[in-house]
Structure formats: structure tokens, C-alpha cells
Amino acid sequence: MKHFEFNSALGKPLVNLAYANGFPPETYTRALQPLFERYHVVSIPARPLWGDCEPESLQSWSQLGDDLLAGLDEITDQPVVGIGHSVGGIATLYAAIKRPERFSRLILIDPTMVSPLGLIPFWIAKLLGREPRSELAERTLRRRRTWQSTQAAYDYFRSKPLFTRWPDDMIHAYAESITTPSTDGSVQLRWSPEWEAQIYRTVPTDVWRLPRQIKQPTMVIHGELSDMFSRGSAITFRALKPDVVTFSVPNAGHLVPQEQPEQIGRLLGNFLS
């Protein structure tokens, strides 16, 4: 699948966005806007959007890092700026640690790094050879999949608590990018619940060994209200990589690029300049 291009800027330094589970690249356009003048901003497609890849093919998030490296190798041989949100942040970390020469800087936006205490159930399940129980995965498999139209999908999402802090145009962008037309004229999810659930089921338990291995200048942005990268996560990250730049965005949760796109855009621009 061809990479997604946010802007036409061939010849300029490359920035890659690795996006969150279930949130296509179109929902990041406003946050990335300040980079368009100086950078060529792209997004290597994630497995759930390939169209010919089964969820069971994913057994480790490190595979997503390998996918990212393979996609970048098809575009350029120059170092790129790696931006990753949520699972995309962890995929970017795996890629940058495996091949540090491919990345000039890293920006991790609310990476999925719950506290070591929060990872204990996953560690125990792995030790016992069991699949970790994930309430997120179970809820995802029950989510609605079809609507009569894109507008109906928008109306549905607008009513959900998850989108309370989203600007209205961001919900429209989400409704348009997460759905695809069906043969009967309705629209359906293009990022399947099965894929979304598989990503939740395979949450890595080794993420806290990664910060010490980062060689690139790095910034971590997180939402003040996030349950995926908390204030405690930020403290732990700084202890493991003291030169990291961290910033907490007030009144924002895990989906901070969609909730506060202008603030994220300013932080990205300032760090890269």
C-alpha cells in the first residue's frame, strides 16, 4: 500500500507519522500543518490498512517497527524525523533503536507506556503462557461497524464521550477517514475491530527497556489527563533518558493530537526548529 502524503514537498527533509490504533493519518493533518513549509510529511501505512494482512500476523509490536523501516527504505535513504502517537510511538521507538541511523530526531506523542505496575497483569499472563485479558479488546469487538452514510457515522461519533474534547472538524475528518463505502451504499469501518483488538492484545511488556537505548534527540508530549502515558510515566522516562524533552498538554487525554492540534503543532515546530 502506498504511503500517505500530507503535503507535496519533494526534496525537503522527510517526516514520518506513525499513527495510533484505529486513527488514520487524516486525523493528524491539523497538528502537522506547521511542518508543511519546511518538511515533506508522510505516513507509512500500518498493517490494519494494508487490506490483505490478517490480524493474527501481528504477534509483537516490534513487527510494526520493522514495517516502518521497510516502508521508509522504499522512500529514502536519508535520516528522517520520526513522529509516533500511541502504538505508533512504540513502533517508532523499536525502529529507531534497531536502526538508529534512519532517524535524526524522535517525537513521541502519548506513547503507550503504562506504568510498570500497570503491566503486571500482562507479565503474569505471558509467564503462564496465556493471552492477556484486555477489556479494550473485548469492547472493540463489540463496536458498531456500519452506518447509512458518513454523516450518520459523524453523528454517532459526535455523541460518544471519547470525542467530547475533539473540535468538530476533527470528528468529521475521523468519520470520513475511518469509513469506506459498502456495495449497498452504506459505509463501514475500514480499520476492522479485529485488527484493533489484536493490537490491544499484543501490548508489549518490554517498553521500559527502550528509553535507555535511544540515541536521537527526543521529545515526549503527553496529555495531562492521559491514562496511557501518565505523569508517573513521564518521570520514569526522564529518569531513564535524562536529556529527553517532555511536555504535558493541559486538558487533553491520550488523543491529544486530535483534541489539541494547534498546541501539538506549535510544540512540533518549536522542537524541530
Coordinates of all heavy atoms in Angstrom, one line a residue, residues 173-264:
A173 N -13.3 14.7 10.1 CA -12.1 14.0 9.5 C -12.0 12.6 9.9 O -11.7 11.7 9.0 CB -10.8 14.8 9.9
Y174 N -12.3 12.3 11.1 CA -12.3 10.9 11.6 C -13.4 10.1 10.9 O -13.1 9.0 10.4 CB -12.5 10.9 13.1 CG -12.6 9.5 13.7 CD1 -11.4 8.6 13.7 CD2 -13.8 8.9 14.1 CE1 -11.5 7.3 14.2 CE2 -13.8 7.7 14.6 CZ -12.7 6.9 14.7 OH -12.8 5.6 15.2
A175 N -14.6 10.6 10.9 CA -15.7 9.9 10.2 C -15.4 9.6 8.8 O -15.8 8.5 8.3 CB -17.0 10.7 10.4
E176 N -14.8 10.5 8.1 CA -14.5 10.3 6.7 C -13.4 9.4 6.4 O -13.4 8.6 5.5 CB -14.2 11.7 6.0 CG -15.4 12.6 6.0 CD -15.0 14.1 5.6 OE1 -13.8 14.3 5.4 OE2 -16.0 14.9 5.5
S177 N -12.4 9.4 7.3 CA -11.2 8.6 7.1 C -11.3 7.2 7.6 O -10.6 6.2 7.1 CB -10.0 9.3 7.7 OG -10.1 9.4 9.1
I178 N -12.1 6.9 8.6 CA -12.2 5.6 9.2 C -13.3 4.8 8.5 O -13.3 3.5 8.7 CB -12.6 5.7 10.7 CG1 -12.3 4.4 11.5 CG2 -14.1 6.1 10.9 CD1 -10.8 4.1 11.5
T179 N -14.1 5.3 7.6 CA -15.1 4.6 6.9 C -14.8 4.5 5.4 O -14.1 5.3 4.9 CB -16.5 5.2 7.1 OG1 -16.5 6.6 6.6 CG2 -16.9 5.3 8.6
T180 N -15.4 3.5 4.8 CA -15.3 3.3 3.4 C -16.6 2.8 2.8 O -17.4 2.1 3.6 CB -14.2 2.2 3.1 OG1 -13.9 2.2 1.7 CG2 -14.5 0.8 3.6
P181 N -17.0 3.2 1.6 CA -18.3 2.8 1.1 C -18.5 1.3 1.0 O -17.5 0.5 0.6 CB -18.3 3.4 -0.3 CG -17.3 4.5 -0.2 CD -16.2 4.0 0.7
S182 N -19.7 0.8 1.2 CA -20.1 -0.6 1.0 C -20.8 -0.7 -0.3 O -21.3 0.3 -0.9 CB -20.9 -1.1 2.2 OG -20.2 -1.0 3.4
T183 N -21.0 -1.9 -0.7 CA -21.7 -2.2 -2.0 C -23.2 -1.7 -2.0 O -23.8 -1.4 -3.0 CB -21.6 -3.6 -2.4 OG1 -22.2 -4.4 -1.3 CG2 -20.2 -4.1 -2.7
D184 N -23.8 -1.7 -0.8 CA -25.2 -1.3 -0.7 C -25.4 0.2 -0.5 O -26.5 0.6 -0.2 CB -25.8 -2.1 0.5 CG -25.2 -1.8 1.8 OD1 -24.3 -1.0 1.9 OD2 -25.7 -2.4 2.8
G185 N -24.3 1.0 -0.6 CA -24.5 2.4 -0.4 C -24.2 2.9 1.0 O -24.1 4.1 1.2
S186 N -24.1 2.0 2.0 CA -23.8 2.4 3.3 C -22.3 2.6 3.5 O -21.5 2.4 2.5 CB -24.3 1.3 4.3 OG -23.6 0.1 4.1
V187 N -21.8 2.9 4.7 CA -20.3 3.0 4.9 C -20.0 2.0 6.0 O -20.8 1.7 6.9 CB -19.9 4.4 5.2 CG1 -20.1 5.3 4.0 CG2 -20.5 4.9 6.5
Q188 N -18.8 1.5 6.0 CA -18.3 0.6 7.1 C -16.9 0.9 7.5 O -16.2 1.7 6.8 CB -18.3 -0.9 6.5 CG -17.4 -1.1 5.4 CD -17.4 -2.5 4.8 OE1 -18.2 -3.3 5.3 NE2 -16.6 -2.8 3.9
L189 N -16.5 0.4 8.7 CA -15.2 0.7 9.2 C -14.1 0.1 8.2 O -14.2 -1.0 7.8 CB -15.0 0.1 10.5 CG -15.8 0.7 11.7 CD1 -15.6 -0.2 13.0 CD2 -15.4 2.1 12.0
R190 N -13.1 0.9 7.9 CA -12.0 0.4 7.1 C -10.9 -0.1 8.0 O -10.0 -0.8 7.5 CB -11.5 1.5 6.1 CG -10.9 2.7 6.8 CD -10.7 3.8 5.7 NE -9.5 3.5 5.0 CZ -8.3 4.3 5.1 NH1 -8.3 5.3 5.9 NH2 -7.3 4.0 4.3
W191 N -10.9 0.2 9.2 CA -9.9 -0.3 10.2 C -10.8 -1.3 11.1 O -11.5 -0.9 11.9 CB -9.4 0.8 11.1 CG -8.2 0.4 12.0 CD1 -8.2 -0.6 12.9 CD2 -6.9 1.0 12.0 NE1 -7.0 -0.6 13.5 CE2 -6.2 0.4 13.0 CE3 -6.3 2.1 11.3 CZ2 -4.9 0.7 13.3 CZ3 -5.0 2.4 11.6 CH2 -4.3 1.7 12.6
S192 N -10.6 -2.6 10.8 CA -11.5 -3.5 11.4 C -11.4 -3.7 12.9 O -10.3 -3.5 13.5 CB -11.3 -4.9 10.8 OG -10.1 -5.5 11.3
P193 N -12.4 -3.9 13.7 CA -12.4 -4.1 15.1 C -11.4 -5.3 15.4 O -10.8 -5.3 16.5 CB -13.8 -4.4 15.5 CG -14.6 -3.7 14.5 CD -13.9 -3.8 13.2
E194 N -11.4 -6.3 14.5 CA -10.5 -7.5 14.8 C -9.0 -7.0 14.8 O -8.2 -7.5 15.7 CB -10.7 -8.5 13.7 CG -12.0 -9.3 13.8 CD -13.2 -8.5 13.4 OE1 -13.0 -7.5 12.7 OE2 -14.3 -8.9 13.8
W195 N -8.7 -6.1 13.9 CA -7.3 -5.6 13.9 C -7.0 -4.7 15.1 O -6.0 -4.8 15.8 CB -7.0 -4.8 12.7 CG -6.1 -5.5 11.7 CD1 -6.4 -5.9 10.4 CD2 -4.8 -5.9 11.9 NE1 -5.3 -6.5 9.8 CE2 -4.3 -6.5 10.7 CE3 -3.9 -5.7 13.0 CZ2 -3.0 -7.0 10.6 CZ3 -2.6 -6.2 12.9 CH2 -2.2 -6.9 11.7
E196 N -8.0 -3.9 15.5 CA -7.8 -3.0 16.6 C -7.7 -3.8 17.9 O -6.8 -3.5 18.7 CB -9.0 -2.1 16.7 CG -8.9 -0.9 17.7 CD -10.0 0.0 17.7 OE1 -10.8 0.0 16.7 OE2 -10.1 0.9 18.6
A197 N -8.5 -4.9 18.0 CA -8.4 -5.8 19.2 C -7.0 -6.5 19.3 O -6.5 -6.6 20.4 CB -9.5 -6.8 19.2
Q198 N -6.5 -6.9 18.1 CA -5.3 -7.7 18.1 C -4.1 -6.8 18.6 O -3.2 -7.2 19.3 CB -5.0 -8.2 16.7 CG -3.7 -9.0 16.6 CD -3.8 -10.4 17.3 OE1 -4.9 -10.7 17.8 NE2 -2.7 -11.1 17.4
I199 N -4.2 -5.5 18.2 CA -3.1 -4.6 18.7 C -3.2 -4.4 20.2 O -2.2 -4.4 20.9 CB -3.3 -3.2 18.0 CG1 -2.8 -3.4 16.5 CG2 -2.4 -2.2 18.6 CD1 -3.1 -2.2 15.6
Y200 N -4.4 -4.3 20.8 CA -4.6 -4.2 22.2 C -4.1 -5.5 22.9 O -3.5 -5.5 24.0 CB -6.0 -4.0 22.6 CG -6.6 -2.6 22.2 CD1 -7.8 -2.5 21.7 CD2 -5.8 -1.5 22.5 CE1 -8.3 -1.2 21.3 CE2 -6.3 -0.2 22.2 CZ -7.6 -0.1 21.6 OH -8.1 1.1 21.3
R201 N -4.3 -6.7 22.3 CA -3.9 -7.9 22.9 C -2.4 -8.1 23.0 O -1.9 -8.9 23.8 CB -4.5 -9.1 22.1 CG -6.0 -9.3 22.2 CD -6.4 -10.6 21.7 NE -7.9 -10.7 21.4 CZ -8.4 -10.6 20.2 NH1 -7.7 -10.4 19.2 NH2 -9.7 -10.7 20.1
T202 N -1.7 -7.5 22.0 CA -0.3 -7.7 21.9 C 0.6 -6.6 22.5 O 1.7 -6.4 22.1 CB 0.1 -7.9 20.5 OG1 -0.4 -6.9 19.7 CG2 -0.4 -9.2 19.9
V203 N 0.0 -5.8 23.5 CA 0.7 -4.8 24.1 C 2.0 -5.3 24.7 O 2.0 -6.3 25.4 CB -0.1 -4.2 25.3 CG1 0.7 -3.2 26.2 CG2 -1.3 -3.4 24.7
P204 N 3.2 -4.7 24.3 CA 4.5 -5.2 24.8 C 4.7 -4.9 26.3 O 4.2 -3.9 26.8 CB 5.5 -4.5 23.9 CG 4.8 -3.2 23.6 CD 3.3 -3.5 23.5
T205 N 5.5 -5.8 26.9 CA 5.8 -5.7 28.3 C 7.2 -5.2 28.5 O 7.7 -5.1 29.6 CB 5.6 -7.0 29.1 OG1 6.4 -8.0 28.4 CG2 4.1 -7.4 29.1
D206 N 7.9 -5.0 27.4 CA 9.4 -4.6 27.5 C 9.6 -3.1 27.2 O 10.8 -2.7 27.0 CB 10.2 -5.5 26.5 CG 9.9 -5.2 25.1 OD1 8.8 -4.6 24.8 OD2 10.6 -5.6 24.2
V207 N 8.5 -2.3 27.2 CA 8.7 -0.9 26.7 C 9.7 -0.1 27.6 O 10.3 0.8 27.1 CB 7.3 -0.2 26.6 CG1 6.5 -0.7 25.5 CG2 6.6 -0.3 27.9
W208 N 9.8 -0.4 28.8 CA 10.6 0.4 29.7 C 12.1 0.1 29.6 O 12.9 0.7 30.2 CB 10.1 0.3 31.2 CG 8.8 1.0 31.3 CD1 7.6 0.5 31.5 CD2 8.6 2.5 31.2 NE1 6.6 1.5 31.6 CE2 7.2 2.7 31.4 CE3 9.5 3.5 31.0 CZ2 6.7 4.0 31.4 CZ3 9.0 4.8 31.0 CH2 7.6 5.0 31.2
R209 N 12.4 -0.9 28.8 CA 13.9 -1.1 28.5 C 14.3 -0.2 27.3 O 15.5 -0.1 27.0 CB 14.1 -2.6 28.2 CG 13.6 -3.1 26.8 CD 14.0 -4.5 26.5 NE 13.5 -5.0 25.3 CZ 13.9 -4.6 24.1 NH1 14.9 -3.8 23.9 NH2 13.3 -5.1 23.0
L210 N 13.3 0.4 26.6 CA 13.6 1.1 25.4 C 14.3 2.5 25.6 O 15.2 2.9 24.8 CB 12.4 1.2 24.5 CG 11.7 -0.1 24.1 CD1 10.4 0.2 23.3 CD2 12.7 -1.0 23.3
P211 N 13.8 3.3 26.5 CA 14.3 4.7 26.6 C 15.8 4.8 26.8 O 16.4 5.7 26.2 CB 13.6 5.3 27.9 CG 12.3 4.5 27.9 CD 12.6 3.1 27.5
R212 N 16.5 3.9 27.5 CA 17.9 3.9 27.7 C 18.7 3.7 26.4 O 19.8 4.1 26.2 CB 18.4 2.9 28.7 CG 18.0 3.1 30.1 CD 18.6 2.1 31.0 NE 18.2 2.1 32.4 CZ 18.7 2.9 33.3 NH1 19.6 3.8 33.0 NH2 18.2 2.9 34.6
Q213 N 18.0 3.1 25.4 CA 18.7 2.8 24.1 C 18.5 3.8 23.1 O 19.1 3.7 22.0 CB 18.1 1.4 23.6 CG 18.3 0.3 24.6 CD 17.7 -1.0 24.0 OE1 18.1 -1.5 23.0 NE2 16.7 -1.5 24.7
I214 N 17.7 4.9 23.3 CA 17.5 5.9 22.3 C 18.8 6.8 22.1 O 19.3 7.2 23.1 CB 16.3 6.8 22.7 CG1 15.0 6.0 22.9 CG2 16.1 7.9 21.7 CD1 13.9 6.8 23.5
K215 N 19.2 6.9 20.9 CA 20.4 7.7 20.6 C 20.0 9.1 20.0 O 20.9 10.0 20.0 CB 21.3 7.0 19.6 CG 21.9 5.7 20.2 CD 22.8 5.0 19.2 CE 23.6 3.9 19.8 NZ 22.7 2.8 20.3
Q216 N 18.8 9.3 19.5 CA 18.4 10.5 18.9 C 17.9 11.5 19.9 O 17.4 11.2 20.9 CB 17.3 10.2 17.8 CG 17.7 9.3 16.7 CD 17.5 7.8 17.1 OE1 17.2 7.5 18.3 NE2 17.7 6.9 16.2
P217 N 18.0 12.8 19.6 CA 17.3 13.9 20.4 C 15.8 13.5 20.3 O 15.3 13.2 19.3 CB 17.6 15.2 19.6 CG 18.9 14.9 18.9 CD 18.8 13.5 18.5
T218 N 15.2 13.6 21.5 CA 13.8 13.1 21.6 C 13.0 14.0 22.4 O 13.4 14.6 23.5 CB 13.8 11.7 22.3 OG1 14.6 10.8 21.5 CG2 12.4 11.1 22.4
M219 N 11.7 14.2 22.0 CA 10.7 14.9 22.7 C 9.5 14.0 23.0 O 9.1 13.2 22.1 CB 10.2 16.2 22.0 CG 9.1 16.9 22.8 SD 8.7 18.6 22.2 CE 7.9 18.2 20.6
V220 N 9.0 14.0 24.2 CA 7.8 13.3 24.5 C 6.7 14.3 24.9 O 6.9 15.1 25.8 CB 8.0 12.3 25.6 CG1 6.7 11.6 26.0 CG2 9.1 11.2 25.3
I221 N 5.6 14.2 24.2 CA 4.4 15.0 24.5 C 3.3 14.1 25.0 O 3.1 13.0 24.5 CB 3.9 15.8 23.3 CG1 5.0 16.6 22.6 CG2 2.7 16.7 23.6 CD1 4.6 17.1 21.2
H222 N 2.7 14.5 26.1 CA 1.6 13.7 26.6 C 0.4 14.5 27.1 O 0.6 15.7 27.5 CB 2.0 12.7 27.7 CG 2.6 13.4 29.0 ND1 1.8 13.5 30.1 CD2 3.7 14.0 29.2 CE1 2.5 14.2 31.0 NE2 3.7 14.5 30.5
G223 N -0.8 13.9 27.1 CA -1.9 14.6 27.6 C -2.0 14.6 29.1 O -1.7 13.6 29.7
E224 N -2.3 15.7 29.7 CA -2.4 15.8 31.2 C -3.3 14.8 31.8 O -3.1 14.2 32.9 CB -2.8 17.2 31.5 CG -3.0 17.5 33.0 CD -3.6 18.8 33.3 OE1 -4.6 19.2 32.6 OE2 -3.2 19.5 34.3
L225 N -4.4 14.4 31.0 CA -5.4 13.5 31.5 C -5.2 12.1 31.0 O -6.1 11.2 31.2 CB -6.8 14.0 31.1 CG -7.1 15.5 31.5 CD1 -8.4 15.9 31.0 CD2 -7.0 15.7 33.0
S226 N -4.1 11.8 30.3 CA -3.9 10.5 29.7 C -3.8 9.4 30.7 O -3.2 9.5 31.7 CB -2.7 10.5 28.8 OG -2.4 9.3 28.3
D227 N -4.4 8.2 30.3 CA -4.2 7.0 31.1 C -3.2 6.1 30.4 O -3.0 4.9 30.9 CB -5.6 6.3 31.3 CG -6.2 6.0 30.0 OD1 -5.7 6.4 28.9 OD2 -7.3 5.3 30.0
M228 N -2.6 6.4 29.3 CA -1.6 5.6 28.6 C -0.2 6.1 28.9 O 0.7 5.3 28.9 CB -1.9 5.6 27.1 CG -3.2 4.9 26.7 SD -3.0 3.1 27.0 CE -4.7 2.6 26.6
F229 N 0.0 7.4 29.1 CA 1.3 7.9 29.5 C 1.0 9.0 30.5 O 0.7 10.1 30.2 CB 2.0 8.5 28.2 CG 3.4 8.8 28.5 CD1 4.4 7.9 28.1 CD2 3.9 10.0 29.0 CE1 5.8 8.1 28.3 CE2 5.2 10.3 29.2 CZ 6.2 9.3 28.9
S230 N 1.2 8.6 31.8 CA 0.8 9.4 32.9 C 2.0 10.3 33.3 O 3.1 10.2 32.8 CB 0.4 8.6 34.1 OG 1.5 7.8 34.5
R231 N 1.7 11.1 34.3 CA 2.8 12.0 34.9 C 3.9 11.1 35.4 O 5.1 11.3 35.3 CB 2.2 12.8 36.0 CG 3.2 13.8 36.7 CD 2.5 14.8 37.5 NE 3.4 15.6 38.3 CZ 3.9 15.3 39.5 NH1 3.5 14.3 40.1 NH2 4.8 16.2 40.1
G232 N 3.5 9.9 36.0 CA 4.5 9.0 36.5 C 5.3 8.4 35.4 O 6.5 8.1 35.5
S233 N 4.6 8.1 34.2 CA 5.4 7.6 33.1 C 6.4 8.6 32.6 O 7.5 8.3 32.3 CB 4.4 7.3 31.9 OG 3.5 6.3 32.3
A234 N 6.1 9.9 32.6 CA 7.0 11.0 32.2 C 8.2 11.0 33.2 O 9.4 11.2 32.7 CB 6.3 12.3 32.2
I235 N 8.0 10.9 34.5 CA 9.0 10.9 35.4 C 10.0 9.7 35.2 O 11.2 9.8 35.2 CB 8.5 10.9 36.9 CG1 7.8 12.2 37.2 CG2 9.6 10.6 37.9 CD1 7.0 12.2 38.5
T236 N 9.4 8.5 35.0 CA 10.2 7.3 34.7 C 11.0 7.5 33.5 O 12.2 7.1 33.4 CB 9.3 6.1 34.7 OG1 8.6 6.0 35.9 CG2 10.1 4.8 34.5
F237 N 10.4 8.0 32.4 CA 11.1 8.2 31.1 C 12.3 9.1 31.3 O 13.4 8.8 30.8 CB 10.1 8.7 30.1 CG 10.5 8.5 28.7 CD1 9.8 7.6 27.9 CD2 11.6 9.2 28.1 CE1 10.2 7.3 26.6 CE2 12.0 8.9 26.8 CZ 11.3 8.0 26.0
R238 N 12.1 10.2 32.0 CA 13.2 11.2 32.2 C 14.3 10.6 33.0 O 15.5 10.9 32.8 CB 12.7 12.4 32.9 CG 11.9 13.4 32.0 CD 11.8 14.8 32.6 NE 11.0 14.7 33.8 CZ 9.7 14.9 33.9 NH1 9.0 15.0 32.8 NH2 9.1 14.9 35.1
A239 N 14.0 9.7 34.0 CA 15.0 9.0 34.8 C 15.8 8.1 33.9 O 17.0 8.0 34.1 CB 14.3 8.2 35.9
L240 N 15.2 7.5 32.9 CA 15.9 6.6 32.0 C 16.7 7.3 30.9 O 17.7 6.8 30.4 CB 14.9 5.5 31.4 CG 14.2 4.6 32.4 CD1 13.2 3.8 31.8 CD2 15.3 3.7 33.1
K241 N 16.1 8.4 30.4 CA 16.8 9.2 29.4 C 16.7 10.7 29.8 O 15.8 11.4 29.5 CB 16.1 9.0 28.1 CG 16.8 9.8 26.9 CD 16.2 9.4 25.6 CE 16.8 10.3 24.5 NZ 18.3 10.3 24.4
P242 N 17.7 11.1 30.6 CA 17.7 12.5 31.2 C 17.6 13.6 30.3 O 17.1 14.7 30.6 CB 18.9 12.5 32.1 CG 19.3 11.1 32.4 CD 18.8 10.3 31.1
D243 N 18.1 13.4 29.0 CA 18.1 14.6 28.1 C 16.8 14.7 27.3 O 16.7 15.5 26.4 CB 19.3 14.5 27.1 CG 19.3 13.2 26.3 OD1 18.5 12.3 26.6 OD2 20.1 13.1 25.3
V244 N 15.8 13.9 27.6 CA 14.6 14.0 26.8 C 13.8 15.3 27.2 O 13.9 15.8 28.3 CB 13.6 12.7 27.1 CG1 13.1 12.8 28.6 CG2 12.5 12.7 26.2
V245 N 13.2 15.8 26.2 CA 12.3 17.0 26.4 C 10.9 16.5 26.6 O 10.4 15.7 25.7 CB 12.4 18.0 25.2 CG1 11.4 19.1 25.4 CG2 13.8 18.5 25.0
T246 N 10.2 16.8 27.6 CA 8.9 16.4 27.9 C 7.9 17.6 28.0 O 8.3 18.7 28.5 CB 8.7 15.5 29.1 OG1 9.1 16.3 30.3 CG2 9.6 14.3 29.0
F247 N 6.7 17.4 27.6 CA 5.7 18.5 27.7 C 4.3 17.8 28.0 O 3.9 16.9 27.2 CB 5.7 19.3 26.5 CG 4.9 20.6 26.7 CD1 5.6 21.8 27.0 CD2 3.6 20.7 26.5 CE1 5.0 23.0 27.2 CE2 2.9 21.9 26.7 CZ 3.6 23.0 27.1
S248 N 3.7 18.3 29.0 CA 2.3 17.9 29.3 C 1.3 18.9 28.8 O 1.4 20.1 29.1 CB 2.2 17.7 30.8 OG 0.8 17.4 31.1
V249 N 0.3 18.5 28.0 CA -0.7 19.4 27.4 C -1.9 19.4 28.3 O -2.5 18.4 28.5 CB -1.1 18.9 26.0 CG1 -2.1 19.8 25.4 CG2 0.1 18.8 25.1
P250 N -2.2 20.5 28.9 CA -3.4 20.6 29.8 C -4.7 20.3 29.1 O -4.8 20.5 27.9 CB -3.3 22.1 30.2 CG -1.9 22.6 29.9 CD -1.5 21.8 28.7
N251 N -5.6 19.8 29.9 CA -7.0 19.5 29.4 C -7.0 18.6 28.2 O -7.8 18.8 27.3 CB -7.7 20.8 29.2 CG -9.2 20.5 29.1 OD1 -9.8 19.7 29.7 ND2 -9.9 21.3 28.2
A252 N -6.1 17.6 28.1 CA -6.0 16.7 27.0 C -5.8 15.3 27.5 O -5.1 15.1 28.5 CB -5.0 17.1 26.0
G253 N -6.3 14.3 26.8 CA -6.1 12.9 27.2 C -5.1 12.2 26.2 O -4.3 12.9 25.6
H254 N -5.3 10.9 26.0 CA -4.5 10.2 25.2 C -4.5 10.6 23.7 O -3.5 10.5 23.0 CB -4.9 8.7 25.3 CG -4.0 7.8 24.5 ND1 -2.7 7.7 24.6 CD2 -4.4 6.9 23.5 CE1 -2.2 6.8 23.7 NE2 -3.2 6.3 23.1
L255 N -5.6 11.1 23.3 CA -5.8 11.5 21.9 C -5.5 13.0 21.7 O -6.2 13.8 21.1 CB -7.2 11.2 21.4 CG -7.5 9.7 21.4 CD1 -9.0 9.5 21.0 CD2 -6.6 8.9 20.5
V256 N -4.4 13.4 22.3 CA -4.0 14.8 22.4 C -3.8 15.5 21.0 O -4.2 16.6 20.8 CB -2.8 15.0 23.3 CG1 -1.6 14.2 22.9 CG2 -2.4 16.5 23.4
P257 N -3.3 14.8 20.0 CA -3.2 15.4 18.6 C -4.5 15.8 18.0 O -4.6 16.8 17.3 CB -2.5 14.4 17.8 CG -1.9 13.4 18.7 CD -2.8 13.4 19.9
Q258 N -5.6 15.1 18.3 CA -6.9 15.4 17.8 C -7.6 16.4 18.7 O -8.5 17.1 18.2 CB -7.7 14.1 17.7 CG -7.3 13.1 16.6 CD -6.1 12.3 17.0 OE1 -5.7 12.2 18.1 NE2 -5.4 11.7 16.0
E259 N -7.3 16.3 20.0 CA -8.0 17.2 21.0 C -7.4 18.6 20.9 O -8.1 19.6 21.1 CB -7.9 16.6 22.4 CG -8.7 15.3 22.5 CD -8.5 14.7 23.9 OE1 -7.9 15.3 24.7 OE2 -8.9 13.5 24.1
Q260 N -6.1 18.7 20.8 CA -5.4 20.0 20.9 C -4.4 20.1 19.7 O -3.2 20.2 19.9 CB -4.6 20.1 22.2 CG -5.4 20.0 23.4 CD -6.1 21.3 23.8 OE1 -5.9 22.3 23.1 NE2 -6.9 21.3 24.8
P261 N -4.9 20.1 18.4 CA -4.0 20.0 17.3 C -3.1 21.3 17.2 O -1.9 21.1 16.8 CB -4.9 19.9 16.1 CG -6.3 20.4 16.6 CD -6.3 20.0 18.0
E262 N -3.6 22.4 17.5 CA -2.8 23.6 17.4 C -1.6 23.6 18.4 O -0.5 24.0 18.0 CB -3.6 24.9 17.5 CG -4.3 25.3 16.3 CD -5.5 24.4 16.0 OE1 -6.1 23.9 16.9 OE2 -5.8 24.3 14.8
Q263 N -1.9 23.2 19.6 CA -0.9 23.1 20.6 C 0.2 22.1 20.2 O 1.4 22.4 20.3 CB -1.5 22.7 21.9 CG -0.5 22.5 23.1 CD 0.1 23.8 23.6 OE1 0.7 24.6 22.9 NE2 0.1 23.9 24.9
I264 N -0.2 21.0 19.7 CA 0.7 20.0 19.2 C 1.6 20.5 18.1 O 2.8 20.3 18.0 CB 0.0 18.7 18.8 CG1 -0.7 18.0 20.0 CG2 1.0 17.7 18.1 CD1 0.3 17.6 21.1

